[in-house]
Amino acid sequence: MPTTNNNNDTPRRKNGFSTPYTGPQVSTWITLPVLIFEFFIVVAPVLPLEAAIPCTIVFGITAILAAFYAAMAQVIDPMDAHLARHLHKLEHGPPAIAEGEPEEDMKHCWICDTQVAEHAMHCKYCNKCVANFDHHCLWLNTCVGSANYHYFVMTMVFITAMLMVHSSVQVALTIDILLGGASKDRANAWFNANADGAIIGIYIGFVAFDALALSLVLQLLYFHWVLHKEGLTTYKYIVREAGRNREKRKKETARKNQRTAAMRKANDEGNRFLAMRLFYGDMCPCCDPLPPLPEEEEEEPSYTPVQPTNNNGDEEEATDGMENGRPYGDENDGVTFIAVKEA
C-alpha cells in the first residue's frame, strides 16, 4: 500500500502502532504494567485471603480487557473504505471482477486525490481520510472513527473499572493499617520488616494517581455519552461550538457598537444622564436604556470548515480540503480544520 499521498510527502500511518509514537502513548505502555505490578506485589498479599482472591480476579479481568480494547483500537485501521480501495488499486491494479461501489454521498479529497465518503475527514497526523472521523487520540496514537470507536469507548470503560478497583482496595487497606487492624500485621509479615509506614506511603501515592486519572477518564466518558445522545462526533461538536462562539462574538461586537453610537449621540445632545445610564447599562441589564438588537433568525451552525486561527496550522489536524472537487482557499495549502484532540 502506498505510504504517501500524491499531494503530500508526509508518510501515511496505518494505525496506532505506526511510527512515530507519542509521549502519551508511551506513558500508557509504562503506566499500565506498573499499576498491575504494584497491585499483585504490594496490594494483593496484604489482603485477607477471602478478599484477595475476588479482588485480584476482578482487577486482573479489568486490566486485561482494558489492554485488549486499547490494543484493538490501535490495531484497527479507521481509513475510509473508498480510500482503501483506491490505494489497493494503485498497488495491485483493478480487481478482475469489478466491485460495485456502495451508494452514498461522496466528495473529492484533494490531499488523498480520490473520492471518499461525505462523512470522511482527513487527519494530518495520520495523513489519510478517516470514516466518520471523531478525533485523533494521542494516548492511542491513532484516529478514532467508525471502525474503532467502540473499542475506544470500551477502553475507557474498563480503565475506569480497573482504576476504581485499584484505588478502593488501597484506600480500605490504608484505613485498616492506620487503625491498627490485621492488614498492618500482614504487611509487615509479607515484607519481613516493619514496613507499614512505607506501604501507606505507596498506597497514598497510587491512590492520588488513580484519583487524577479517574477524574480525566470519567470526564471523557461523560463527554462521549453526551455526544452519543446528541448524535455528534467530537469533531462535529467542536465545529458546532466554534460556530456558536463566532456568532456570540458577532452579537457582542454589534451590541458594543450600538452602545458606543448611542452614548456618542447622547453626549452630542448634551444628555449626560442618559450617557451615564448607557455606560453602566451592561452592568445592570434591568435598567439599561439601550434597546435590544433586532432579532435575527437563528440558524444552527453547519459542520463546515473554518480557517485556522494560527499562522502555521501546527495545532490543527483534521482537514476536509475539498469543495466540489477543489480545495478551499489557496490551491497549494489545504484548509485545516480546528483542533480535535484529546487533552
Side-chain angles (χ1 to χ4, degrees), residues 40-272:
F40 282 99
I41 301 301
V42 183
V43 177
V46 182
L47 288 168
L49 184 61
E50 60 273 16
I53 294 176
C55 288
T56 302
I57 291 174
V58 172
F59 177 79
I61 290 174
T62 56
I64 291 171
L65 289 175
F68 168 76
Y69 280 108
M72 290 298 296
Q74 293 174 86
V75 168
I76 292 174
D77 186 357
M79 180 188 294
D80 175 75
H82 303 282
L83 174 59
R85 281 192 289 269
H86 169 72
L87 296 176
H88 186 272
K89 290 177 183 178
L90 290 179
E91 185 175 2
H92 303 287
I97 301 176
E99 299 178 359
E101 292 286 336
E103 295 183 1
E104 61 178 325
D105 293 333
M106 304 284 287
K107 62 186 178 183
H108 187 83
C109 174
W110 68 276
I111 303 175
C112 294
D113 195 24
T114 188
Q115 293 285 311
V116 296
E118 182 68 29
H119 53 71
M121 290 293 164
H122 191 95
C123 172
K124 86 168 189 179
Y125 289 97
C126 294
N127 195 22
K128 63 186 178 185
C129 284
V130 175
N132 288 299
F133 178 84
D134 187 86
H135 69 284
H136 182 90
C137 178
L138 293 178
W139 299 96
L140 299 177
N141 194 26
T142 187
C143 287
V144 176
S146 54
N148 59 350
Y149 183 80
H150 168 74
Y151 294 99
F152 166 75
V153 172
M154 294 306 294
T155 299
M156 293 190 294
V157 169
F158 284 107
I159 285 178
T160 300
M162 183 193 73
L163 291 174
M164 285 183 171
V165 175
H166 190 259
S167 58
S168 60
V169 170
Q170 292 183 86
V171 168
L173 286 175
T174 299
I175 293 174
D176 189 53
I177 292 175
L178 289 174
L179 295 177
S183 298
K184 181 176 181 179
D185 296 332
R186 285 192 296 268
N188 292 330
W190 173 251
F191 291 99
N192 197 26
N194 188 21
D196 52 289
I199 294 297
I200 289 177
I202 294 174
Y203 288 170
I204 291 176
F206 275 92
V207 168
F209 173 83
D210 291 343
L212 176 61
L214 275 171
S215 67
L216 298 175
V217 177
L218 286 173
Q219 287 182 61
L220 193 58
L221 268 177
Y222 176 75
F223 175 67
H224 280 274
W225 176 71
V226 172
L227 292 181
H228 177 72
K229 286 184 62 179
E230 296 189 17
L232 296 174
T233 62
T234 301
Y235 171 76
K236 289 183 176 181
Y237 170 83
I238 293 179
V239 173
R240 185 190 71 178
E241 293 305 302
R244 288 178 174 177
N245 289 335
R246 288 196 301 273
E247 186 64 25
K248 180 181 178 181
R249 290 193 297 269
K250 178 182 175 182
K251 290 182 178 180
E252 289 175 348
T253 300
R255 185 67 171 174
K256 181 179 179 180
N257 293 338
Q258 181 192 24
R259 186 176 302 278
T260 301
M263 290 174 59
R264 185 181 299 113
K265 181 180 179 181
N267 285 322
D268 291 343
E269 294 175 351
N271 193 340
R272 305 296 181 188

Side-chain angles (χ1 to χ4, degrees), residues 12 19 36 84 87 101 136 141 265 278 288 319 342:
R12 180 182 288 112
T19 56
I36 295 173
L87 296 176
E101 292 286 336
H136 182 90
N141 194 26
K265 181 180 179 181
L278 287 167
D288 188 3
T319 64
E342 287 186 4

